[in-house]
Amino acid sequence: MSSTVASPMSTLASSSSGRKSTSFTPELQSMMFSLGDARRPLHETAVLVEDIVHTQLINLLQQAAEVSQLRGARVISAEDLLFLMRKDKKKLRRLLKYMFFRDYKSKIVKGIEEDDLLEDKFNSSNTNKRQKLAQDFLNSIDQTGELLAMFEDDEIDDVKQERMERAERQTRMMDSVQYAEFCESRQLSFSKKASKFRDWLDCSSMEIKPNAVAMEILAYLAYETVAQLVDLALLVKQDMAPKAGDPFSHAISATFIQYHNSAESTAACGIEAQSDAIQPSHIREAIRRYGHKIGPLSPFTSAYRRNGMTFLAC
Amino acid sequence: MDGVSPLERYLERCEGQFKDDLSASPQLFTPMSPYDVDLPIQTTEDVWGSQLNQPKDLSTDFSVDLSFLPDITQDDKEQNLSEDGYEKQKELDGSISRNEDSGIIVDESSLSYSGATQSSPEASGTCPPLIPMTPMTPVTPASESSGIVPQLQNIVSTVNLACKLDLKNIALHARNAEYNPKRFAAVIMRIREPRTTALIFSSGKMVCTGAKSEEQSRLAARKYARVVQKLGFPAKFLDFKIQNMVGSCDVRFPIRLEGLVLTHQQFSSYEPELFPGLIYRMVKPRIVLLIFVSGKVVLTGAKERSEIYEAFENIYPILKGFKKPS
């Protein structure tokens, strides 16, 4: 069931031929660089990542549309997406922190820009609107009180911590020019190109469309998916790097070897150049491991897994 | 507008008053803290300058006799100035009214550090030799500290005019006033000197923004109050309070924000996809700093100038630690 995402190259080829004119591949390459990949991420990797993100977001949108219909609403709103994410507390908390930061940043920037001051007065009801929205909604669906406890929760987000450390390590060695490029790449996001993002998701052909806050969240989830993929792929890459004295280096998973060999170029120097960047094989292996259900109760842990799509972002 | 001719008559009457004011005021000064230096005398100087250089409009009128506005406590203090510092300020402020905003930067920096070198080009020949002003923050001579002074960019203040106002009336009779009740329930008024914007509410409360110093904000607020008064409302000038001050400066080296956000996690948030700057929430003093890769720093949330200077002095050594070597 989860093979829809981890399927081998045949489906990749067919879906990319059916790709619409909008493509985020160059932006994705920059994004991957800012998230920890090599200086010039591979084009094939970016295409694969785009495909995965696209598929997952379309599925997410469909499920959100179903939830919306259940509610009897006419647009997909933030509440629907929050509802879909309710099972994974860590990811939900990260999303909430993101929303609060957005509110906070608007508040501060308004205080600084004098021209915006008047707009601020006009829209004074908008301060903390996302926070209020999230709080109200979670209040309404919270049965056990654990969701609301998240607002007070101040635990460190391990994944974010790891990303920060990785970025710090990456930038330590850079010079001014490289660092400036890195910063620009970090500023890329799906929310900056809202209309292109909408086209990419083909929102216009949907019956129930997402509203503005929902689009913000979707852009965030797309970015999170890319970030998760890079995190996991780097982990896989690290695993696969032959380490001296590693007793299990002979026990590398068979699937990985198969993909790795097919993607490898024959020239020796080619291997050198490519070894730094994330390969599509790393990504596929990461997806395979992520979707692999381990443990006695794993088939029953998430409701949406019934549909066969294991979402990376939620 | 309707009130133009009576206005002009009023202005002619006021001109006579000027001379009296100017001669009377010098007697009122006594030494005081450097902050409030660029002040009330500035008002009359200001008016001289503006009277001579700008076409008469509603705004030049007000500076004439603001003393009628009973201002609690601060008013008396403001009349007092330190000796030399005040002289310099008078010249500076005279020049300020002539050279829009550029002179103001010099004004600020000269307040906290011995601004002798900076102020001499600005001040006219009559300026007496300057003594170093006492710094705002209790310490460190320029060589030990960063040597960079944040410039104030915006001051937001509020004042209570203590009377109900008819916004429609005000919008109709005042120049440079906008009122769109469907969009927002306040009159938006602007004056050119100091260049500020005010939001005037029907309850009598007013918000004044855009000034580059505390005294300019106060002066502007008084001018707006005068406008309202002239329109026939019994406006007073109660509880003038500075709500927010924004300053900015440049440390002149690139900063590695990833390092900063990692080591100062509890205070900083950095989401480059959302906003290119790092948001640093300093606890003492309670100031929010926006730190950018280029080295520009914006400080906001201060109620007093000293908080901005203190916050910058606190952050400077930290930023130096994350300087990106080129």
Side-chain angles (χ1 to χ4, degrees):
Chain A
M1 289 297 251
S2 57
S3 59
T4 40
V5 170
S7 51
M9 290 189 283
S10 55
T11 45
L12 171 63
S14 58
S15 52
S16 34
S17 59
R19 175 70 60 246
K20 310 128 210 122
S21 51
T22 51
S23 162
F24 274 103
T25 315
E27 286 94 343
L28 274 174
Q29 278 179 296
S30 293
M31 255 187 243
M32 285 165 62
F33 165 54
S34 72
L35 287 166
D37 197 357
R39 178 66 195 83
R40 304 218 182 276
L42 297 178
H43 180 79
E44 306 89 65
T45 319
V47 167
L48 175 59
V49 169
E50 185 179 357
D51 187 36
I52 294 172
V53 174
H54 187 260
T55 320
Q56 294 215 340
L57 278 184
I58 297 279
N59 271 280
L60 191 63
L61 263 179
Q62 279 171 358
Q63 288 195 4
E66 282 168 30
V67 174
S68 246
Q69 268 174 339
L70 277 177
R71 281 197 308 145
R74 274 175 293 131
V75 291
I76 297 179
S77 75
E79 281 96 346
D80 302 317
L81 293 167
L82 285 174
F83 181 76
L84 285 177
M85 290 187 67
R86 71 195 183 284
K87 297 289 164 105
D88 193 331
K89 293 238 312 261
K90 290 205 177 124
K91 296 191 177 133
L92 184 55
R93 196 190 311 129
R94 211 177 303 146
L95 170 62
L96 290 172
K97 283 218 172 101
Y98 174 83
M99 287 167 74
F100 300 166
F101 182 80
R102 253 202 123 109
D103 281 336
Y104 183 62
K105 164 230 150 198
S106 318
K107 196 159 64 157
I108 295 187
V109 173
K110 268 179 204 157
I112 293 176
E113 309 274 323
E114 201 205 314
D115 314 318
D116 289 352
L117 179 68
L118 300 180
E119 300 304 314
D120 164 46
K121 296 293 178 195
F122 296 152
N123 307 330
S124 53
S125 57
N126 280 0
T127 46
N128 290 351
K129 78 165 180 198
R130 294 176 191 88
Q131 184 170 358
K132 266 190 230 125
L133 199 144
Q135 263 174 336
D136 290 340
F137 178 67
L138 289 179
N139 207 346
S140 66
I141 64 169
D142 195 4
Q143 307 282 357
T144 57
E146 54 177 4
L147 288 176
L148 285 178
M150 266 196 313
F151 286 97
E152 280 90 55
D153 206 347
D154 243 355
E155 269 173 37
I156 299 182
D157 187 348
D158 295 324
V159 176
K160 259 229 118 80
Q161 181 74 14
E162 212 188 288
R163 287 185 199 157
M164 280 203 287
E165 284 170 12
R166 192 185 312 138
E168 201 272 326
R169 258 179 279 133
Q170 214 177 347
T171 55
R172 215 184 292 162
M173 293 305 135
M174 291 184 184
D175 67 17
S176 261
V177 176
Q178 288 173 336
Y179 184 60
E181 271 188 72
F182 180 79
C183 280
E184 268 198 54
S185 305
R186 274 204 80 171
Q187 287 171 25
L188 276 175
S189 82
F190 289 100
S191 50
K192 295 247 168 72
K193 310 209 171 186
S195 51
K196 187 173 172 188
F197 186 59
R198 276 192 99 102
D199 289 337
W200 189 59
L201 288 178
D202 207 12
C203 284
S204 41
S205 65
M206 292 178 56
E207 278 180 23
I208 305 189
K209 300 193 197 344
N211 69 5
V213 185
M215 281 309 288
E216 279 175 15
I217 298 183
L218 282 171
Y220 165 79
L221 288 177
Y223 187 81
E224 259 301 296
T225 312
V226 178
Q228 286 268 57
L229 275 174
V230 174
D231 283 349
L232 296 172
L234 286 174
L235 212 57
V236 169
K237 203 162 80 122
Q238 188 187 6
D239 271 353
M240 295 311 162
K243 290 180 280 281
D246 180 358
F248 293 106
S249 54
H250 62 278
I252 297 175
S253 97
T255 47
F256 177 74
I257 292 179
Q258 176 198 338
Y259 290 132
H260 194 66
N261 285 339
S262 54
E264 226 172 58
S265 74
T266 47
C269 52
I271 297 175
E272 292 290 350
Q274 284 179 349
S275 62
D276 224 17
I278 297 180
Q279 314 278 346
S281 44
H282 293 132
I283 306 262
R284 285 194 204 99
E285 172 66 11
I287 300 279
R288 187 197 67 82
R289 291 191 198 177
Y290 190 80
H292 184 50
K293 299 183 180 64
I294 318 170
L297 285 177
S298 59
F300 312 108
T301 45
S302 282
Y304 49 73
R305 287 195 182 193
R306 269 185 263 121
N307 299 347
M309 172 72 46
T310 48
F311 291 112
L312 282 153
C314 57
Chain B
M1 294 218 136
D2 313 348
V4 171
S5 37
L7 168 64
E8 282 175 355
R9 273 183 266 125
Y10 179 94
L11 285 175
E12 279 153 26
R13 264 183 289 136
C14 289
E15 257 181 89
Q17 248 177 346
F18 269 13
K19 309 209 167 73
D20 296 339
D21 266 353
L22 199 51
S23 53
S25 29
Q27 298 150 7
L28 297 170
F29 310 127
T30 57
M32 88 155 291
S33 75
Y35 267 103
D36 304 329
V37 161
D38 58 339
L39 278 254
I41 277 313
Q42 176 192 335
T43 68
T44 40
E45 274 300 297
D46 211 14
V47 175
W48 271 125
S50 46
Q51 279 287 15
L52 297 171
N53 302 335
Q54 294 168 13
K56 288 193 185 130
D57 62 1
L58 220 56
S59 59
T60 59
D61 180 23
F62 314 120
S63 348
V64 178
D65 53 352
L66 297 177
S67 50
F68 76 93
L69 294 170
D71 187 46
I72 331 287
T73 60
Q74 272 92 3
D75 217 272
D76 298 332
K77 271 204 240 150
E78 287 166 11
Q79 300 298 325
N80 315 332
L81 291 170
S82 66
E83 331 67 7
D84 308 77
Y86 151 64
E87 291 288 342
K88 166 174 80 88
Q89 282 313 309
K90 196 155 72 135
E91 287 307 321
L92 274 181
D93 297 332
S95 64
I96 282 169
S97 62
R98 278 182 285 270
N99 326 320
E100 284 300 289
D101 296 334
S102 54
I104 296 170
I105 307 286
V106 176
D107 180 27
E108 311 297 18
S109 46
S110 56
L111 279 178
S112 48
Y113 294 95
S114 49
T117 47
Q118 287 160 324
S119 55
S120 32
E122 290 295 317
S124 51
T126 52
C127 180
L130 302 161
I131 54 167
M133 309 273 293
T134 28
M136 303 307 182
T137 48
V139 248
T140 58
S143 51
E144 278 176 27
S145 65
S146 59
I148 304 172
V149 186
Q151 307 300 333
L152 290 182
Q153 301 294 344
N154 184 21
I155 307 226
V156 177
S157 55
T158 53
V159 70
N160 186 3
L161 301 175
C163 68
K164 293 273 172 260
L165 303 174
D166 177 358
L167 296 184
K168 207 159 158 215
N169 189 1
I170 294 177
L172 284 174
H173 293 102
R175 287 200 208 183
N176 300 322
E178 287 170 39
Y179 181 43
N180 196 345
K182 275 184 253 164
R183 210 176 157 211
F184 191 54
V187 166
I188 302 167
M189 204 184 288
R190 295 185 170 86
I191 58 172
R192 270 195 291 267
E193 188 54 52
R195 210 162 77 79
T196 48
T197 305
L199 298 175
I200 306 174
F201 295 83
S202 52
S203 60
K205 299 251 171 77
M206 181 171 77
V207 178
C208 173
T209 70
K212 301 267 195 221
S213 81
E214 302 92 322
E215 264 325 299
Q216 287 198 355
S217 195
R218 181 181 218 103
L219 170 64
R222 297 187 116 195
K223 290 191 180 182
Y224 290 114
R226 190 74 183 108
V227 175
V228 172
Q229 242 228 354
K230 284 206 55 200
L231 291 168
F233 299 94
K236 301 209 252 311
F237 197 75
L238 301 179
D239 309 322
F240 174 80
K241 181 169 181 227
I242 294 194
Q243 300 291 349
N244 186 26
M245 298 172 71
V246 180
S248 74
C249 56
D250 188 359
V251 301
R252 291 197 204 98
F253 52 77
I255 305 170
R256 199 164 63 90
L257 297 178
E258 280 78 11
L260 181 57
V261 74
L262 196 59
T263 46
H264 289 76
Q265 279 180 54
Q266 343 61 311
F267 308 117
S268 21
S269 337
Y270 179 41
E271 301 279 342
E273 317 92 62
L274 269 186
F275 186 63
L278 185 150
I279 300 186
Y280 191 102
R281 264 185 276 201
M282 194 175 281
V283 173
K284 187 174 174 348
R286 213 167 70 83
I287 299 278
V288 173
L289 299 93
L290 301 182
I291 304 167
F292 296 87
V293 182
S294 57
K296 301 255 183 344
V297 180
V298 175
L299 308 96
T300 179
K303 291 272 195 293
E304 285 173 31
R305 190 189 284 246
S306 60
E307 290 175 3
I308 294 212
Y309 295 153
E310 194 187 331
F312 182 68
E313 291 305 318
N314 287 348
I315 201 87
Y316 188 72
I318 298 173
L319 295 181
K320 272 213 291 205
F322 290 102
K323 179 171 176 170
K324 190 94 200 80
S326 44

